[in-house]
Amino acid sequence: MIDLHTHSTVSDGHGSPAQVMREAAAAGVDTVALTDHDQIIGWDEAAAEAAQVGVSLVRGAEISTLTDGVSVHLLGYLFRPAESALLEFLEGTREARLNRARKMADLLSRDFPVDWELVQAQAGEGTTLGRPHLADALVAAGVVASRDEAFATILNPSNKYYVRHAAPATALAVRAVIEAGGVPVLAHPFAVQRGRTLDEAAIERLHAVGLMGLEAYHRDHTPQQVEQLRGIARRLGLLVTGSSDYHGTGKPNRLGEHYTSPEVLAEIADRGALPILRP
Ligand code: AMP
Ligand code: FE
Ligand code: FE
Ligand code: ZN
């Protein structure tokens, strides 16, 4: 079982990188990608534990990007970690997310018993801050019962507490992943419940600058959307991946609930600059 999209406490997952590796092994996942939002500091801890528990590790990240105002998540796999353009993107986005979280915390503090300190207490050193951490602060303060409730109500983009953050253009991020020797794959391209999504023409333009795959098998897609994405991938010659987008206890997603074929994994391994770490 190959699961190419998971999160740890390095971004908005609820388990440490090592814990995610242990849980992957326990769930019968033999190859797992750690793809924290805009951050790669979890790679080493994950690698050490993956070797211990006997799972193969694909090192990656989920990069926040924007196309015409649409928030687009780009998975990058097996890229060289020291490549400057890509690292600058990740660092810039983390900084923008930090400022945005502080602004949202200030807005929330006017109406709820949460403040910036409480939000910071929900995240570790170097963690990419997102709305999930604001949600955790609201849960800690007893304002809502769960992350889910926070997202459905207070943290919804239509609400006055929502603030946007800057991110690189998707096409530039695709180029940066390729220049760093990595494999760029669009995460959950048609997940409409997260907001506006790209259309087929936009995916075609990203393909023209080097996009290599579409994450079709994902819980946020209907069977019709999966078929549509498979059709686009077939037409453009893109890889089709699947994943759980695991966030630990932060989301209902279960490890291995959607997965990627061994043939596609072999293709990703072939194209990536870094090896898959095998136990
Ligand atoms: P942000 O990018 O900071 O605006 O927050 C979006 C992140 O929140 C995504 O990475 C999702 O994984 C996460 N997210 C979205 N909806 C939910 C939800 N209902 N419960 C928990 N996490 C969510
Ligand atoms: Fe997330
Ligand atoms: Fe995502
Ligand atoms: Zn994700």
Side-chain angles (χ1 to χ4, degrees):
M1 172 93 69
I2 300 158
D3 188 340
L4 292 185
H5 183 165
T6 69
H7 296 270
S8 75
T9 45
V10 160
S11 62
D12 57 357
H14 266 168
S16 67
Q19 207 172 326
V20 174
M21 297 304 115
R22 287 194 290 275
E23 288 168 354
V29 172
D30 49 73
T31 304
V32 63
L34 182 70
T35 53
D36 276 304
H37 296 284
D38 307 307
Q39 181 55 291
I40 61 171
I41 54 169
W43 284 8
D44 288 351
E45 182 188 316
E49 191 67 20
Q52 288 296 316
V53 299
V55 299
S56 297
L57 175 66
V58 175
R59 288 166 287 180
E62 185 175 16
I63 305 159
S64 310
T65 74
L66 287 168
T67 295
D68 300 329
V70 177
S71 161
V72 177
H73 287 178
L74 181 72
L75 293 160
Y77 296 119
L78 303 175
F79 55 86
R80 290 182 293 269
E83 213 73 25
S84 56
L86 186 53
L87 279 199
E88 271 169 38
F89 279 163
L90 301 185
E91 210 177 303
T93 304
R94 287 200 305 276
E95 179 81 18
R97 281 176 158 286
L98 182 77
N99 293 330
R100 175 261 203 152
R102 192 174 308 183
K103 278 185 203 151
M104 285 186 72
D106 283 347
L107 291 172
L108 290 168
S109 71
R110 296 177 192 173
D111 297 324
F112 305 105
V114 301
D115 59 11
W116 178 230
E117 223 168 276
L118 184 65
V119 172
Q120 280 180 300
Q122 312 304 316
E125 185 81 26
T127 293
T128 303
L129 278 176
R131 274 183 294 158
H133 303 99
L134 295 156
D136 289 347
L138 288 163
V139 172
V143 177
V144 293
S146 65
R147 273 188 177 183
D148 229 23
E149 189 188 336
F151 269 88
T153 59
I154 300 168
L155 298 180
N156 198 274
S158 62
N159 213 316
K160 62 178 174 182
Y161 307 106
Y162 186 82
V163 176
R164 301 175 62 92
H165 68 79
T170 313
L172 292 180
V174 166
R175 294 304 319 168
V177 170
I178 291 170
E179 274 156 31
V183 180
V185 173
L186 269 192
H188 44 71
F190 287 167
V192 289
Q193 57 277 57
R194 296 163 184 254
R196 281 196 298 138
T197 59
L198 297 183
D199 58 14
E200 185 165 348
I203 293 175
E204 232 173 287
R205 287 192 288 276
L206 292 173
H207 169 250
V209 298
L211 182 72
M212 294 183 193
L214 301 176
E215 185 185 55
Y217 307 109
H218 187 285
R219 70 154 54 209
D220 292 353
H221 293 151
T222 63
Q224 291 75 15
Q225 290 171 322
V226 172
E227 276 321 301
Q228 207 182 339
L229 285 163
R230 278 162 45 99
I232 296 170
R234 203 176 309 121
R235 195 164 63 72
L236 298 176
L238 290 164
L239 303 171
V240 172
T241 68
S243 79
S244 63
D245 202 352
Y246 183 63
H247 282 69
T249 53
K251 272 187 161 187
N253 312 28
R254 296 327 331 153
L255 279 159
E257 65 178 29
H258 291 288
Y259 48 87
T260 298
S261 74
E263 292 74 26
V264 168
L265 179 69
E267 194 59 46
I268 290 171
D270 205 51
R271 298 184 194 184
L274 295 185
I276 296 177
L277 298 176
R278 303 187 189 276

